[in-house]
Amino acid sequence: MMSLRYALLTALADGHPRSGYDLLAYFDGSIGFVWHATHPQIYRELDGLRRDGLVSNELVVQTGRPNKKVYSITEQGTHALLTWVATASPLQMMKDGMLLRTFSYGRLDSELAVARLADYRALHEERMVRYRELTNLVEASPDRPSRLGYLLVLRAGILHQEAYLRWCDEAVAAIRARPRAARRSPGRKARPAARRRTARR
Amino acid sequence: MMSLRYALLTALADGHPRSGYDLLAYFDGSIGFVWHATHPQIYRELDGLRRDGLVSNELVVQTGRPNKKVYSITEQGTHALLTWVATASPLQMMKDGMLLRTFSYGRLDSELAVARLADYRALHEERMVRYRELTNLVEASPDRPSRLGYLLVLRAGILHQEAYLRWCDEAVAAIRARPRAARRSPGRKARPAARRRTARR
DNA sequence: ATTCTCATGTAAATCGTTACATGATTTT
DNA sequence: AAAATCATGTAACGATTTACATGAGAAT
C-alpha cells in the first residue's frame, strides 16, 4: 500500500523542509505512533519520492557537522497526499506479540502470567502519560492546519492505551480467579505421571 | 521475532494435527485476530518448523479430493512455544492507515472526512459483533486449556473495538465543531488567488 | 576516555503480499 | 454454466529489520 510514502508526505505537508534525519526524529514524536519507520527505510523511500517528483531536495553544506539533504514536498506531492487521504482505509490486521502469547496463558503458571501482564501494563501506562503530555502541548499551540489531525490521533492513542490498561486488569483478575487445577508451573510437563503420547507416534 | 512460527505452534498446541489449509481457516477465526498470515507464508513457515523439528508431518492420501499433509506439534515444539510464551513481550509498533490519514483530516473537506469515519466505524462495529458472537460460543464450550487465553484475546478485541467506535464518534464531533474557515473542498487548492511558492524554487 | 548527537548511506536477511498454476468435486 | 470448496505449492515483488560503515564535534 506504500503507506510509508504517505507518512513521509504527511510529515512534509506543512511545507517545512526536513532532512532524513529530521524526519526520523519527527516520526518518533508523532507520525511514528501510527506508522513506525527506521532510518534505512526513510532514506530509501525519500529517494523514491524524489524520483517520482513528489518531493524535491537540496544539499545543505554545513561546517563543523555533516552536510545534509533537506526535502520539501512538491505541488505534485501535496496533491498525491490529499488524494490518498480522501480514500477509504481498509481495516488494519493487527499484530500483537502480547496477545499472541496470551492465547497460551492458560498453559502458563499463574504468577508468571500475572507478572508479565504487570510489565505490559507499565509499558502502556508510560505511553499514555506521553500521549497526555503531548496533548497538552498541542492544545496550547496555535491552530495550524495540522493541529486537528494531530489531536485526533493522540486521542485515538489515549483511548487505546486505556483499553490496554483495562484489559490488563481484567486479565489479571481472570487468571487469579481460575480453579487451582488449571495452574501449571513453568518449564515442567503437565502431569509427568500420566505421560501422553503426541500425535506423531 | 519469528512470531509467525509461534502463531502456528499456538494453533497446533492442543495436539490436534492440522494441514496448512486447516491452519489458514483456523487463523481466520482466532489467531488471525492478533497475528494475520496468508497461505504462502503458512506453507513456507510450516516447512521451516519441520526442518527445525518443532512440528512433524504426515501425508494423508485422499480420494475424491487432493491429498494433504497434516502437521503435529512435537515435544520440542511444545517446549519452544511455552518458553516463548513465558518471555516478556515488547510494545508493538502500530501501523494504522486510517490514523495516518487522520493526521491530514484538518486539510480535508469536513463532509468527506465524516463520511470516511462512518465507513470506518461500520467496519469496526462488524468486527465487534463477530467478537461478541465468538465470545458467547467459547463461553458455552467446555473448559479446555486453551479456553482462558482465547477468551482473554477476544476481550482485548472487544475493548479495542469499543475504543475505535468511541474515537470515531468523537472525531466526527470534533470535525463538525470546527470553524467554517478551516474547511476545504476536496481536489482544489486552498486559495488559488494567493499562490504560494514551494520551498523548492 | 567514553558516550551522545548529527548525518548519511549500503548490504544482507527476513518477512509479507500478490499473482501464477493446477484440478477434481460440490453447490448455486 | 459458474462459482465455491478443498488442497498445495512457486515466483516475483515489495516491505521491514538488523548489521555494517564512517566520522567530526560536543558533552559527561
Side-chain angles (χ1 to χ4, degrees):
Chain A
M1 283 176 185
M2 307 184 298
S3 296
L4 177 57
R5 30 179 55 196
Y6 296 110
L8 290 169
L9 290 175
T10 302
L12 293 170
D14 61 5
H16 198 260
R18 290 185 174 86
S19 68
Y21 191 84
D22 292 337
L23 284 164
L24 186 70
Y26 189 75
F27 260 57
D28 251 37
S30 62
I31 294 168
F33 298 150
V34 297
W35 206 274
H36 173 258
T38 56
H39 85 267
Q41 246 183 308
I42 289 175
Y43 286 119
R44 251 185 305 110
E45 192 63 42
L46 281 172
D47 220 58
L49 284 163
R50 189 186 43 75
R51 271 202 318 277
D52 295 344
L54 306 185
V55 301
S56 61
N57 67 355
E58 206 181 342
L59 184 71
V60 175
V61 181
Q62 298 183 122
T63 50
R65 51 181 51 192
N67 297 337
K68 62 180 175 179
K69 289 183 194 163
V70 293
Y71 292 82
S72 311
I73 195 166
T74 61
E75 271 185 53
Q76 224 192 111
T78 304
H79 185 255
L81 174 62
L82 289 179
T83 302
W84 175 79
V85 168
T87 63
S89 178
L91 263 187
Q92 214 64 34
M93 295 298 176
M94 72 143 54
K95 298 209 163 178
D96 190 308
M98 182 64 186
L99 291 177
L100 185 51
R101 284 174 175 84
T102 302
F103 255 104
S104 301
Y105 268 25
R107 294 185 170 84
L108 198 69
D109 172 71
S110 291
E111 288 315 305
L112 224 176
V114 166
R116 292 307 184 214
L117 282 163
D119 296 344
Y120 192 62
R121 191 188 197 284
L123 293 176
H124 280 292
E125 197 147 24
E126 251 180 70
R127 196 176 259 191
M128 185 157 75
V129 167
R130 192 150 170 243
Y131 288 171
R132 285 204 200 283
E133 286 169 357
L134 274 168
T135 302
N136 290 336
L137 276 176
V138 178
E139 269 172 352
S141 74
D143 190 3
R144 280 183 274 108
S146 63
R147 207 181 70 145
L148 175 70
Y150 197 2
L151 283 173
L152 287 176
V153 168
L154 285 169
R155 182 67 187 143
I158 289 170
L159 286 170
H160 276 101
Q161 301 323 302
E162 281 176 1
Y164 273 118
L165 297 186
R166 191 169 157 196
W167 176 76
C168 287
D169 295 337
E170 289 187 17
V172 166
I175 287 167
R176 287 251 160 84
R178 269 196 303 179
R180 271 182 187 282
R183 302 185 195 175
R184 305 268 160 79
S185 301
R188 290 218 229 126
K189 299 276 156 44
R191 273 168 299 148
R195 186 152 82 253
R196 277 243 207 84
R197 267 178 305 225
T198 50
R200 173 169 45 157
R201 45 149 110 224
Chain B
M1 283 177 183
M2 307 186 295
S3 296
L4 177 57
R5 33 179 50 195
Y6 296 112
L8 290 169
L9 290 175
T10 302
L12 293 170
D14 60 4
H16 198 259
R18 290 184 173 87
S19 68
Y21 191 83
D22 293 337
L23 285 165
L24 186 69
Y26 189 76
F27 260 57
D28 251 37
S30 60
I31 295 168
F33 298 150
V34 296
W35 206 273
H36 172 258
T38 57
H39 85 267
Q41 244 184 310
I42 289 176
Y43 286 118
R44 253 191 296 118
E45 192 63 42
L46 281 173
D47 221 58
L49 283 163
R50 188 187 43 76
R51 271 203 318 278
D52 295 343
L54 306 186
V55 302
S56 62
N57 67 355
E58 206 181 342
L59 184 72
V60 175
V61 181
Q62 298 184 120
T63 50
R65 52 180 53 189
N67 297 337
K68 62 180 176 179
K69 289 182 194 163
V70 294
Y71 293 82
S72 310
I73 194 167
T74 61
E75 270 185 54
Q76 223 193 112
T78 304
H79 185 255
L81 174 62
L82 289 180
T83 303
W84 176 80
V85 168
T87 62
S89 179
L91 264 188
Q92 214 64 36
M93 295 298 176
M94 71 142 55
K95 299 209 164 177
D96 190 308
M98 182 64 186
L99 291 177
L100 184 51
R101 284 174 176 84
T102 303
F103 256 104
S104 301
Y105 267 24
R107 294 185 170 83
L108 197 68
D109 172 72
S110 291
E111 287 315 304
L112 225 176
V114 166
R116 292 306 184 214
L117 282 163
D119 296 345
Y120 192 62
R121 193 188 195 283
L123 293 174
H124 281 291
E125 196 146 25
E126 252 180 69
R127 196 176 260 191
M128 186 157 74
V129 168
R130 189 146 172 247
Y131 288 170
R132 285 203 201 283
E133 286 170 357
L134 274 169
T135 302
N136 290 335
L137 276 175
V138 177
E139 270 173 350
S141 74
D143 190 3
R144 280 182 274 108
S146 63
R147 207 180 71 145
L148 175 70
Y150 196 1
L151 283 174
L152 287 175
V153 168
L154 286 169
R155 183 65 187 145
I158 289 170
L159 286 170
H160 276 101
Q161 303 320 303
E162 282 176 1
Y164 273 119
L165 297 185
R166 191 169 156 197
W167 176 75
C168 287
D169 295 337
E170 288 188 15
V172 167
I175 288 168
R176 287 251 159 85
R178 269 197 304 178
R180 270 181 188 283
R183 301 185 196 175
R184 305 268 161 78
S185 300
R188 293 218 229 125
K189 301 274 157 44
R191 272 167 300 147
R195 185 152 83 256
R196 277 244 207 85
R197 267 178 306 224
T198 50
R200 176 169 41 161
R201 42 150 116 224

